[in-house]
């Protein structure tokens, strides 16, 4: 099924399109620093993915391409970023050129993730990468896993890093009480202005649809499409103050000692034999 015309898609895309210029100018994404050689994927991602030298990599839902380009800086021989937001892809292309990667080394494609196979002309990659804050925008994980599996070259793998879906079900003050069904299948519909980089903003396209994808659903969808899970790491720390109770530490944000801990992020590697 083609995703075009579905209400969630148009709303989410308009929401993301409007936020691109805000993000491109933000301290959060620090594009001047990135152009000057700064910025990178998270250290745990680099460690878990391992040496990418000479490998091809596709980054699904790449936003403005900074992580995509970071994998190229780390030695990947060819990186392709894909995102359904045209303004985001335009920024990514500009960044690639500014830091000296031509299209044969780093290219960016405007497409819905569900249409990635066609948009990438059936190409396969040593590494399929998807980073934090991506899966929640997708309504159907089975379709996603089918697409992902089709993009992994034999002997290659998917690497996925995400915020833990359990966080969606816990209270925002303490992160210790259930306030929502972890297994809920209905979308979380949001209509707040602003964005995570700059807080409240005078934005117009605010309607968005997000989903919780329980870990079991992710693993089962990948297994059903022929990928073998090599690891699934759940972490008790995250990268922002998701709950009011989380305290900044050396690693990021964590519950203070003595507070019951839920997993806050996870990462997964799944291979194609
Ligand atoms: C939170 S951002 C990803 C963040 C990324 N890890 C980073 O820090 O730059 C989510 C991205 O998913 C993209 N996106 C959402 N739904 C999509 C879809 N169905 N197909 C392709 N891209 C999608 C949005 O345009 C946005 O750029």
């Amino acid at each position: 099924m083609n995703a075009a015309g579905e209400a969630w898609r148009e709303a989410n895309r308009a929401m993301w399109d409007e936020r691109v210029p805000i993000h491109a100018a933000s301290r959060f994404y620090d594009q001047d620093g990135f152009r000057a050689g700064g910025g990178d994927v998270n250290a745990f991602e680099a460690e878990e993915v391992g040496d990418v030298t000479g490998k091809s990599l596709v980054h699904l839902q790449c936003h403005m391409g900074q992580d995509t380009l970071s994998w190229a800086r780390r030695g990947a021989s060819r990186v392709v970023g894909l995102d359904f937001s045209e303004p985001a892809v335009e920024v990514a292309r500009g960044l690639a050129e500014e830091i000296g990667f031509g299209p044969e080394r780093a290219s960016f494609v405007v497409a819905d993730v569900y249409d990635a196979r066609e948009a990438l002309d059936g190409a396969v990659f040593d590494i399929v990468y998807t980073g934090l804050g991506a899966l929640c925008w997708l309504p159907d994980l089975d379709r996603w896993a089918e697409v992902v599996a089709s993009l992994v070259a034999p002997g290659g793998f998917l690497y996925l890093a995400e915020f833990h879906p359990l966080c969606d079900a816990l209270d925002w003050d303490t992160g210790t009480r259930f306030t929502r069904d972890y297994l809920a299948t209905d979308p979380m519909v949001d209509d707040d202005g602003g964005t995570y980089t700059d807080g409240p903003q005078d934005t117009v396209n605010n309607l968005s649809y997000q989903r919780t994808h329980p870990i079991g659903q992710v693993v089962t969808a990948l297994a059903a499409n022929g990928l073998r899970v090599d690891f699934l790491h759940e972490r008790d720390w995250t990268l922002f103050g998701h709950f009011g109770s989380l305290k900044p530490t050396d690693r990021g944000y964590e519950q203070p000692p003595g507070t019951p801990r839920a997993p806050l992020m996870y990462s997964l590697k799944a291979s194609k034999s």
Side-chain angles (χ1 to χ4, degrees), residues 8-9 12 16 28-29 59 61-67 82-85 88 111-114 129 131-134 137-138 196:
W8 64 268
R9 182 180 189 254
N12 288 357
W16 280 109
F28 184 96
Y29 281 102
H59 179 185
Q61 296 175 253
C62 68
H63 200 36
M64 300 179 295
Q66 287 170 238
D67 288 343
L82 179 143
D83 200 286
F84 73 173
S85 168
D112 191 287
V113 81
Y114 291 125
Y129 166 72
L132 295 157
W137 302 104
L138 305 178
Y196 54 89

Side-chain angles (χ1 to χ4, degrees), residues 28 42 44 132-133 136 162-164 167-168 172 195-197 210 236-249 251-255 264-265:
F28 184 96
N42 293 297
F44 75 87
L132 295 157
C136 61
E162 262 304 354
F163 299 115
H164 202 288
C167 296
D168 294 342
W172 283 55
T195 175
Y196 54 89
T197 61
Q210 293 185 60
D236 61 359
W237 58 276
T238 188
L239 296 177
F240 72 108
H242 192 106
F243 306 120
S245 54
L246 299 183
K247 303 286 180 222
T249 67
R251 298 188 293 184
Y253 288 82
E254 303 178 48
Q255 290 285 21
L264 303 175
M265 290 196 296

Side-chain angles (χ1 to χ4, degrees), residues 53-219:
T53 307
K55 303 228 161 118
S56 60
L57 178 147
V58 63
H59 179 185
L60 300 177
Q61 296 175 253
C62 68
H63 200 36
M64 300 179 295
Q66 287 170 238
D67 288 343
T68 326
L69 295 168
S70 295
W71 290 117
R73 276 176 167 166
R74 285 184 161 269
S77 56
R78 185 168 66 94
V79 298
V80 180
L82 179 143
D83 200 286
F84 73 173
S85 168
E86 194 161 354
V89 166
E90 276 166 16
V91 172
R93 286 178 181 148
L95 280 176
E97 198 179 333
E98 284 166 329
I99 67 171
F101 288 128
E104 70 295 334
R105 182 82 187 279
S107 59
F108 292 90
V109 176
V110 180
D112 191 287
V113 81
Y114 291 125
D115 300 328
R117 195 175 2 194
E118 300 77 33
L120 298 168
D121 295 326
V124 291
F125 297 83
D126 298 320
I127 302 170
V128 177
Y129 166 72
T130 177
L132 295 157
L135 292 194
C136 61
W137 302 104
L138 305 178
D140 185 336
L141 251 270
D142 293 331
R143 275 168 69 202
W144 168 82
E146 197 184 326
V147 171
V148 164
S150 76
L151 298 175
V152 181
F157 62 87
L158 161 75
Y159 178 78
L160 153 67
E162 262 304 354
F163 299 115
H164 202 288
L166 189 56
C167 296
D168 294 342
L170 299 175
D171 74 281
W172 283 55
D173 292 333
T174 70
T176 60
R177 286 180 293 107
F178 276 92
T179 52
R180 188 171 180 271
D181 187 346
Y182 173 63
L183 300 172
T185 54
D186 55 315
M188 295 174 285
V189 184
D190 191 7
D191 204 7
D192 292 338
T195 175
Y196 54 89
T197 61
D198 292 81
Q201 296 281 307
D202 198 12
T203 47
V204 176
N205 298 315
N206 298 325
L207 181 64
S208 72
Y209 297 83
Q210 293 185 60
R211 307 271 177 164
T212 300
H213 297 298
I215 295 283
Q217 198 184 82
V218 177
V219 170

Side-chain angles (χ1 to χ4, degrees), residues 20-34:
V20 168
I22 303 171
H23 288 189
S26 69
R27 285 181 62 190
F28 184 96
Y29 281 102
D30 186 18
Q31 294 197 337
D32 285 339
F34 185 79

